[in-house]
Amino acid sequence: MSDWRPQTWAVRAQAEETSHHEHSVPIFLTSSFVFEDSEEMRAAFAGEIDRNIYGRFTNPNVEELSEKIRRLEGAEAGHSLATGMAAVFATFGALLSSGDHILACRSLFGSTHTILTKILPRFGITSTYVDAADPDSWAGEIRDNTRMIFVETPTNPAVDLVDLEWLGKLAAEKEVILVVDNCFATPILQRPLEFGAHLSIHSATKYLDGQGRVMGGVVVGGKEMVQEIYDFARATGPSLSPFNAWVLSKSVETLEVRMERHSQNGLALAEWLEGRPGVASVRYPFLPSHPQYEIAKRQMSSGGGILSFVVEGGLEQGKRFMDAVKLCSLTANLGDTRTIVSHPSSTTHAKLTEEERLAVGITPGLIRISVGLEDLRDIIEDVEQALETS
Ligand SMILES: *Cc1c(COP(=O)(O)O)cnc(C)c1O
């Protein structure tokens, strides 16, 4: 069993069979677990035996999901939580203390930005932003109290990349914890730990589920750090529900085939968009015109399903494009079987100033597409008619 390849684990890792000998794992909807006698209960609480105690601590469905993602990323350990943000916050909460400093890449998921700028400072934890496009500036921003570097790659929504090999070396040299939010790439396309990251975080809500049904988060990495995150979560309570864990664990069985098709459709749509009338520019990691195409080839196995493009005509034209699509969904999610379009300037990033938006690569006409698994011809026809009529 131990020599299975990661993809086989993604299909076959399974919570221990019950006396019913089920083929597909059941949902363990129970908030606690019973003991034979006081000695067994004592040993479980003392951590001397590996035993489920209480749903806030562990659950077989939750552990099955963690095991699959751990295997896919080649990590020693993993823990799954209620949402992607629960995973991000538990990571900060477990590993940082008052007086610590975080170096973060400026393009960050909105709620991560809120944690860094509004919540952590109240606990004496500060952060500095650096630009993905200016890696030379990073080393100079690392201070004596810098304890963590936090990045997303590819970034949302500009689809910029951070060179993970270079960053892994920088983190090792400066002895800081490197955390990568690997949500856009998934473990199928990118394994940050192989480049020296200590932790890789996922919003399981996105591609890991991939069908827009449930929320979840996973963090994988070295045993000791994951244990600290588990201990933090066990006490503070952002536990993943057994039902959501069951849905997510089933989804992970098809993650590889889904990501292959997302990537095929993503590349094909990016190629189709590039150079079209009305389209000023296209960003997709595996397009040779991407300024970091060489980095993409080194650290990702394919480009994934997220691309961005800029419509000529700016903010108003961007909104008109959004109003003109018929097949694509307008919704605040990504990584779904259904193609999703979003216009960051008028929605997710509308509260930022124009300068702040431009600093993370969001021009007024920028559209992000999360390319789904519909027939590619229907996706292209919808984008084409939306470009022509808007
Ligand atoms: C969605 C997302 C998150 C947050 O995940 P939730 O499951 O919504 O809490 C974090 N990082 C990135 C890059 C995301 O896209």
Side-chain angles (χ1 to χ4, degrees), residues 147-220:
R147 188 142 157 74
M148 183 182 284
I149 299 177
F150 189 98
V151 300
E152 294 172 16
T153 180
T155 63
N156 177 31
V159 200
D160 287 325
L161 304 182
V162 177
D163 184 339
L164 288 176
E165 191 179 353
W166 161 78
L167 190 56
K169 285 188 188 134
L170 181 70
E173 182 196 315
K174 304 283 184 181
E175 297 183 353
V176 293
I177 302 168
L178 175 57
V179 183
V180 177
D181 181 333
N182 200 23
C183 172
F184 274 32
T186 81
I188 304 299
L189 307 187
Q190 178 171 279
R191 280 177 274 280
L193 305 186
E194 289 175 0
F195 298 98
H198 298 90
L199 294 167
S200 173
I201 295 184
H202 296 278
S203 166
T205 315
K206 313 294 168 51
Y207 284 112
L208 301 194
D209 172 25
Q211 290 142 89
R213 298 168 299 185
V214 299
M215 314 283 302
V218 187
V219 51
V220 299

Side-chain angles (χ1 to χ4, degrees), residues 99-129:
D100 287 344
H101 172 256
I102 305 170
L103 190 70
C105 188
R106 192 181 307 280
S107 319
L108 283 182
F109 187 70
S111 297
T112 307
H113 170 72
T114 303
I115 291 176
L116 290 182
T117 55
K118 302 238 160 67
I119 299 176
L120 291 183
R122 291 198 283 113
F123 299 92
I125 298 163
T126 55
S127 54
T128 306
Y129 283 143

Side-chain angles (χ1 to χ4, degrees), residues 111-314:
S111 297
T112 307
H113 170 72
T114 303
I115 291 176
L116 290 182
T117 55
K118 302 238 160 67
I119 299 176
L120 291 183
R122 291 198 283 113
F123 299 92
I125 298 163
T126 55
S127 54
T128 306
Y129 283 143
V130 283
D131 290 319
D134 186 19
D136 291 343
S137 69
W138 291 35
E141 295 290 348
I142 294 178
R143 308 175 187 169
D144 288 345
N145 63 338
T146 302
R147 188 142 157 74
M148 183 182 284
I149 299 177
F150 189 98
V151 300
E152 294 172 16
T153 180
T155 63
N156 177 31
V159 200
D160 287 325
L161 304 182
V162 177
D163 184 339
L164 288 176
E165 191 179 353
W166 161 78
L167 190 56
K169 285 188 188 134
L170 181 70
E173 182 196 315
K174 304 283 184 181
E175 297 183 353
V176 293
I177 302 168
L178 175 57
V179 183
V180 177
D181 181 333
N182 200 23
C183 172
F184 274 32
T186 81
I188 304 299
L189 307 187
Q190 178 171 279
R191 280 177 274 280
L193 305 186
E194 289 175 0
F195 298 98
H198 298 90
L199 294 167
S200 173
I201 295 184
H202 296 278
S203 166
T205 315
K206 313 294 168 51
Y207 284 112
L208 301 194
D209 172 25
Q211 290 142 89
R213 298 168 299 185
V214 299
M215 314 283 302
V218 187
V219 51
V220 299
K223 244 195 182 106
E224 283 171 22
M225 273 186 208
V226 171
Q227 181 68 38
E228 288 185 56
I229 292 164
Y230 165 77
D231 290 341
F232 179 89
R234 168 175 163 148
T236 55
S239 317
L240 179 61
S241 87
F243 176 76
N244 288 6
W246 178 84
V247 171
L248 289 164
S249 185
K250 284 280 160 207
S251 304
V252 171
E253 294 179 18
T254 59
L255 181 63
E256 185 180 62
V257 288
R258 285 188 284 110
M259 290 316 293
E260 281 169 7
R261 183 61 66 86
H262 278 298
S263 290
Q264 268 175 29
N265 284 357
L267 178 61
L269 181 62
E271 285 172 344
W272 182 86
L273 276 167
E274 193 160 55
R276 286 204 76 82
V279 175
S281 63
V282 184
R283 266 293 172 93
Y284 181 76
F286 270 47
L287 268 190
S289 61
H290 192 294
Q292 296 157 306
Y293 176 63
E294 292 307 321
I295 296 173
K297 288 268 179 179
R298 277 206 304 273
Q299 66 192 34
M300 299 174 75
S301 59
S302 62
I306 313 284
L307 64 88
S308 69
F309 70 101
V310 178
V311 291
E312 281 164 4

